[in-house]
Amino acid sequence: MSRINAVILDWAGTTVDFGSFAPTQIFIEAFHRVFDIDITLAEARIPMGLGKWQHIEALGKLAAIDERWQQKFGRSMSHDDIDAIYEAFMPLQIAKVIDFAAPIDGVIDTIKTLRSSGIKIGSCSGYPRAVMEKLVPAAEQLGYKPDYWIASDELAAGGRPGPWMALKNVIELGVDAVFHCVKVDDAVPGIEEGRNAGMWSVGLALSGNEFGKTWDEYQNMSADAVDRLRQHAADKLFTAGAHYVVDTLADLPDVIEQINKRLAKGERP
């Protein structure tokens, strides 16, 4: 029977770290520490989902940040500048990531539900391997362990928005067809990754980068404020190519039921 037999999950903002705060805060600190350039949280979030070196490069190309750089140094950010920020970013992120390893509410139960249906759990991340080697065991201690994971710097072809990490999951999990996979992500490059890999792409509008609130902030927001920000996040994820957008990973089993019905009719992503 043609049905979903694997999901490939992002990490920060999807399975752990509600609001995706671990990487964004470190970008802000690294820019300030190395070059005394201040960037905002909103700016730090814009390229989220890319590999971290590529994320820094993309930040440097933002008009507002480039203007600050030009004013301070009389030139745009260089390759060496990116390397310097990345070198500062890495130890800070390695030290801090375990503080954001707690699974998002509903994730552990959802994984159990998916596995009970015979679905394999893959994963990939914009984090480099050195960070993932700290995050993965910390998350496992708190109850979340995928069947496979890969980091953004492990493949020669590169990371997101290319399909390669997602396709590596297909190989390692032994999935028979890419259209039997669902890629789940909270950021635009991860949605594009799934589409580029020929998979069903599902966006998360509430738990991740595009919503951008801590759990406590979310709990204290008015219903109207939540709806406005949720719609903003959903619009960005749909524009990136998401087939479905839901609030959190807890909503995924219902989406998979819908996709299975479409597969049974011969539909493809």
Side-chain angles (χ1 to χ4, degrees), residues 59-258:
L59 287 174
K61 292 179 179 178
L62 294 177
I65 294 177
D66 181 59
E67 182 180 354
R68 279 170 240 157
W69 209 274
Q70 294 275 1
Q71 289 176 349
K72 191 173 183 66
F73 300 109
R75 58 174 176 80
S76 294
M77 184 187 290
S78 69
H79 189 286
D80 289 342
D81 295 334
I82 301 169
D83 283 344
I85 296 171
Y86 185 78
E87 288 174 9
F89 170 88
M90 281 294 289
L92 293 170
Q93 187 69 90
I94 291 168
K96 196 67 175 175
V97 73
I98 59 173
D99 294 338
F100 295 85
I104 292 168
D105 189 48
V107 164
I108 293 174
D109 288 342
T110 299
I111 297 301
K112 291 178 180 177
T113 298
L114 296 174
R115 284 185 166 139
S116 70
S117 299
I119 293 174
K120 299 175 182 179
I121 311 299
S123 69
C124 55
S125 176
Y127 284 135
R129 185 171 185 87
V131 176
M132 292 298 290
E133 286 176 342
K134 296 293 185 181
L135 175 58
V136 171
E140 182 178 353
Q141 288 185 345
L142 296 170
Y144 172 60
K145 182 183 180 182
D147 299 319
Y148 177 74
W149 62 270
I150 187 167
S152 62
D153 60 347
E154 292 193 79
L155 298 176
R160 298 167 180 157
W164 306 289
M165 288 195 294
L167 294 176
K168 181 65 170 174
N169 272 267
V170 171
I171 294 168
E172 297 298 328
L173 295 173
V175 182
D176 60 352
V178 291
F179 56 81
H180 288 158
C181 296
V182 175
K183 174 69 206 316
V184 185
D185 210 291
D186 62 290
V188 165
I191 297 299
E192 295 173 338
E193 172 189 32
R195 292 301 303 256
N196 289 334
M199 301 174 179
W200 302 91
S201 282
V202 176
L204 303 183
L206 196 148
S207 66
N209 181 66
E210 303 302 343
F211 195 83
K213 298 294 183 182
T214 67
W215 176 257
D216 287 342
E217 287 172 337
Y218 161 59
Q219 292 294 302
N220 289 302
M221 291 171 66
S222 69
D224 285 346
V226 169
D227 287 344
R228 285 195 300 272
L229 200 49
R230 177 195 281 120
Q231 189 61 55
H232 169 76
D235 288 345
K236 290 191 69 173
L237 296 167
F238 275 127
T239 299
H243 295 94
Y244 298 87
V245 175
V246 293
D247 282 352
T248 71
L249 197 70
D251 302 305
L252 186 61
D254 289 340
V255 173
I256 290 176
E257 286 187 17
Q258 296 177 51

